[in-house]
Amino acid sequence: TFATLANEWQTSVLPMYKHSTQMHRRFMLKKHLLPRFGDKAVSEITRQEIQVYVAHLTQEGYAPKSIDHIHDVLSAVLRTAVKWGHLQDNPARGVDLPKLRTVRPKWALTREQAAALLEALPPLSRAMAGLAILSGLRRGELFALRWQDIDQEARVLTVREAVYDTRFDTPKTEAGLRQIPLSEAALGFIRAWKQRAGRTEPDALVFSTRTGKVISPNNVLRREIFRACEALGLPRATWLTSVSA
């Protein structure tokens, strides 16, 4: 059955992926694919049946990107069935998917908006948001940053790790391992926070809880960033990564 194959795939293949990808794919299997295909024999899953399922998801109002992700996980499991000799062909290949489109428009702070937001934030969030805006760090990279990754004399920040769901790993791609030059403004945020930080030993996290553990990005967003945005009449950005010229 598809459920048996999916369980074997989760045990043997999924651990090869990064933790964040594992979590995402396990969720897709549990919520969408196992309820639909779990009891069905793998050999009986046809391309037509998968096309009907895609049409069903579309009619239910799922975004094209979400449907693409669900289909991608289904295809990965069935692709493994081909490799393991259970199928001659992957029926998920060749299925028509809805055209991908941008649901949320991309948005960047102006200089004035960025300055107003940073001024409204408490010290920890100000340092995090300021560094994010001026460096373009992803959230997982920002929260995995350690003091030894920042060379103030050379004015450079080295990205070595990313954290997701409290688990540390290398960045999402090989290109994610990189050095980022720091402006005087970025260094200013770092210096100001270092004077307040409780732990500043080289391997300590730059941004952490009082006990030195990883901060939850969502907590920071909900409790401080979003509140400040609302008070200033700014849109709720998913995260602050850039400032328009």
Side-chain angles (χ1 to χ4, degrees), residues 37-238:
F37 300 104
D39 294 333
K40 199 170 187 65
V42 174
S43 59
E44 296 178 357
I45 299 176
T46 65
R47 188 165 286 113
Q48 180 179 353
E49 184 176 5
I50 295 173
Q51 187 68 66
V52 170
Y53 179 53
V54 168
H56 167 74
L57 292 173
T58 302
Q59 292 165 2
E60 288 294 310
Y62 283 90
K65 189 173 182 179
S66 297
I67 296 174
D68 183 70
H69 286 168
I70 296 169
H71 173 266
D72 184 55
V73 177
L74 175 61
S75 183
V77 176
L78 295 177
R79 186 165 59 247
T80 298
V82 174
K83 290 181 181 179
W84 289 352
H86 300 307
L87 294 174
Q88 291 185 339
D89 178 55
N90 181 352
R93 294 185 60 185
V95 171
D96 294 318
L97 299 174
K99 186 177 179 180
L100 294 176
R101 64 180 187 273
T102 301
V103 177
R104 296 179 181 176
K106 292 187 177 182
W107 174 79
L109 293 168
T110 65
R111 293 179 184 274
E112 293 73 19
Q113 288 172 332
L117 176 59
L118 294 173
E119 184 64 27
L121 293 173
L124 175 58
S125 296
R126 182 184 303 132
M128 288 190 291
L131 187 56
I133 290 170
L134 295 172
S135 68
L137 286 173
R138 298 183 179 93
R139 279 196 290 177
E141 297 168 346
L142 182 70
F143 286 86
L145 191 64
R146 302 180 189 274
W147 288 110
Q148 62 193 6
D149 299 328
I150 300 173
D151 188 335
Q152 294 191 49
E153 291 187 7
R155 305 169 69 92
V156 67
L157 180 156
T158 302
V159 179
R160 296 186 176 93
E161 293 180 292
V163 62
Y164 179 82
D165 193 28
T166 73
R167 295 199 182 188
F168 289 84
D169 201 346
T170 54
K172 191 173 182 179
T173 64
E174 289 187 10
L177 295 167
R178 64 198 188 280
Q179 287 191 323
I180 299 173
L182 296 172
S183 64
E184 185 58 37
L187 286 170
F189 286 116
I190 292 169
R191 292 177 186 133
W193 173 242
K194 193 168 187 178
Q195 292 179 351
R196 291 175 169 268
R199 303 182 60 181
T200 59
E201 55 268 28
D203 63 345
L205 295 170
V206 175
F207 307 115
S208 68
T209 64
R210 292 181 179 179
T211 58
K213 295 181 180 180
V214 178
I215 296 175
S216 168
N218 288 335
N219 286 344
V220 175
L221 286 170
R222 286 195 300 266
R223 296 173 184 173
E224 298 178 359
I225 304 292
F226 287 165
R227 288 182 182 179
C229 286
E230 289 174 353
L232 294 168
L234 300 176
R236 283 193 172 194
T238 302

